[in-house]
Every structure is written in C-alpha cells, then in structure tokens.
Amino acid sequence: MNALIEKINSIYPLPPGSLKLLTDEMRRIELPKSKVLVEAGQTGRTVYFIQKGIARAYCDGKDNQITFWFGLEGDFIFCYNSYINGLPGYESIELLENSILYEIRDEVLQELFRQNIDLANWGRKLAERELIKLEERYIARLFKSASECYKELLKNSPSLIQRVQLGYIASYLGVTQVTLSRIRAEIK
C-alpha cells in the first residue's frame, strides 16, 4: 500500500482525508498471468494500480496483435475511452505475469471526483499524465527509428526487456521479431 500512496501523491499530493477516501475504496487483488482485465469492445469499469507485475494493452490487427503500451509496477492502468467517455475501449489489457493489483471501480472513482475537489484534481492530473505518455509514444513512432525506440526502452525500462516476450516488444516497436533480433545484435 505504501507504493500506491507514494504514486498517488506523486501525481497530485492529496490531503490525508482525501487520500483516505480514495485508498479506502481500493481493493487489493491477485490475478494470474494471462488474465485479460478488459477485452476490446467492452467498457472498462475499473482502474488498476500495479503493485507487482506487468500488463500490456493491444489491439487485434488483421494478422496479429499490436501492443501499444506496457504497464509496470507503479503504473495505473485503465481503458482510456471508458475512463474518459464511459464508452467501450478499443484495446484489450492482459497481465503478462502473476500480478498484485489495487482496483477501484470507475463509478466509485467518478463519485469521489464529484464529491471531493482534491480527488477531482488528482483524477485530472492522472489523465493529463497518461495523455502526455501517449503523445510521447506517438511522436516517437513518427520520428524515431525502431532502434532508437528500443534503446530508449532499454534506458527507461530495462526490466521490461527481460520480463516481456520479444514478440510483444517487437509489436510495440512496430517491427518483426527478426528485425528486433538484428537491432539487439547491433546494440550488444
């Protein structure tokens, strides 16, 4: 729970009473590897905090799955379209490891936002941070080579490379596994 509280306050520092309102509504759960938290086309009704484990978001392409983000320890994960608009998401979210998560139902969170300005501001800052991360990934895809993106991934999330199947990383980078193998060989 300490990591959760630290992460919450790093997004937007909450007064103790507001923090307690939020954490009292969060429930610790343990889920197995390969558990799909949300399927594409469903409305995601829960926000999760990863205490232990990794998740990925992906869409089904014509011939394969396309991974477009990973969530690691300390990350909040949710379907953006569901969280913001209450509509079905485009992505599926799957756990890649046995995981320990804290969850809060979206309707509970939205009610907390309506009742408490500090929590509403926290929710806004969370959405803003996620938007910036999404924008950074989008810009990187447009202007950086797969090799540059891989080097950045190595620098910013080295454990991800060791813990995630190379096929998912290749998909995330927008390359084949053969190309990813070449990139890895050039870097060594």
Side-chain angles (χ1 to χ4, degrees):
M1 179 67 82
N2 287 339
L4 171 62
I5 291 169
E6 284 178 26
K7 181 62 174 193
I8 289 169
N9 281 322
S10 76
I11 293 168
Y12 181 87
L14 291 172
S18 298
L19 179 62
K20 183 171 175 16
L21 284 172
L22 180 60
T23 57
D24 282 354
E25 294 294 339
M26 300 186 92
R27 185 173 68 101
R28 183 183 187 273
I29 58 172
E30 294 186 28
L31 295 172
K33 176 181 179 177
S34 302
K35 170 74 174 164
V36 176
L37 298 174
V38 179
E39 297 221 18
Q42 293 180 344
T43 302
R45 306 253 184 237
T46 307
V47 174
Y48 300 93
F49 170 79
I50 304 175
Q51 178 178 325
K52 179 181 178 294
I54 296 179
R56 76 176 179 118
Y58 65 91
C59 291
D60 289 316
K62 184 178 176 186
D63 299 319
N64 58 355
Q65 293 178 341
I66 300 164
T67 299
F68 59 93
W69 62 251
F70 293 103
L72 299 164
E73 286 88 357
D75 286 338
F76 282 92
I77 54 174
F78 50 90
C79 287
Y80 300 122
N81 203 31
S82 299
Y83 177 78
I84 294 167
N85 297 319
L87 297 172
Y90 310 104
E91 71 271 50
S92 295
I93 301 175
E94 172 188 30
L95 297 175
L96 300 180
E97 296 178 341
N98 293 333
S99 299
I100 299 171
L101 310 170
Y102 283 90
E103 68 174 357
I104 185 168
R105 302 282 300 158
D106 188 55
E107 66 267 8
V108 171
L109 189 56
Q110 296 301 324
E111 186 58 32
L112 288 173
F113 292 164
R114 282 188 281 281
Q115 293 174 4
N116 184 295
I117 190 67
D118 292 314
L119 291 174
N121 283 328
W122 177 83
R124 176 182 52 82
K125 293 303 281 183
L126 174 63
E128 288 171 357
R129 282 187 176 202
E130 292 301 316
L131 176 62
I132 289 168
K133 286 183 351 189
L134 182 65
E135 184 179 63
E136 287 171 349
R137 285 192 302 266
Y138 179 70
I139 290 170
R141 276 237 147 118
L142 290 175
F143 297 104
K144 292 182 180 178
S145 69
S147 181
E148 290 171 313
C149 290
Y150 182 75
K151 287 175 188 173
E152 197 169 282
L153 197 60
L154 270 175
K155 179 181 147 202
N156 297 332
S157 302
S159 72
L160 189 72
I161 305 301
Q162 298 162 359
R163 295 165 61 190
V164 173
Q165 294 176 26
L166 290 181
Y168 295 152
I169 293 170
S171 170
Y172 175 76
L173 296 172
V175 298
T176 65
Q177 278 189 255
V178 171
T179 300
L180 179 57
S181 293
R182 268 192 239 118
I183 290 169
R184 290 168 50 102
E186 289 170 6
I187 291 173
K188 290 183 178 180

